[in-house]
Amino acid sequence: MGGISIWQLLIIALIIVLLFGTKKLRSLGGDLGSAVKGFKKAIGDEEPAAKKDADADFEQKKLADGQGEQAQKSQKDKEQV
């Protein structure tokens, strides 16, 4: 009732094609596609960087835990001697 029907959308599409031409619309579509592709690539590049930071934190914790274990072993060795 208040929405746009398929026929109205087809008429609007036909008017747009007549105004701009198929070559202009094709280049516009290509530009839009490359922009979306670049955006997805930029989003995808940031996620691994966040994972690298998480891995670095994990490695630091492992190192800290390892140093703590070494300190405990040193104390036990001193106590035994």
Side-chain angles (χ1 to χ4, degrees):
M1 296 219 167
I4 297 176
S5 70
I6 292 178
W7 292 110
Q8 291 170 334
L9 288 174
L10 289 174
I11 292 171
I12 291 170
L14 180 65
I15 291 171
I16 290 173
V17 168
L18 289 175
L19 285 176
F20 295 107
T22 56
K23 289 182 181 180
K24 182 81 169 182
L25 290 175
R26 186 177 299 147
S27 67
L28 181 66
D31 292 343
L32 182 64
S34 64
V36 169
K37 190 175 184 180
F39 179 74
K40 285 183 179 180
K41 183 179 178 184
I43 294 292
D45 288 345
E46 289 183 17
E47 288 179 10
K51 289 181 181 180
K52 287 179 185 176
D53 292 341
D55 291 342
D57 291 340
F58 179 71
E59 290 295 325
Q60 289 175 356
K61 288 179 183 177
K62 279 178 47 176
L63 289 174
D65 291 342
Q67 290 173 356
E69 291 174 4
Q70 289 176 355
Q72 289 176 355
K73 287 179 184 178
S74 297
Q75 288 178 352
K76 287 181 182 178
D77 290 340
K78 289 179 185 177
E79 290 173 0
Q80 289 178 355
V81 175

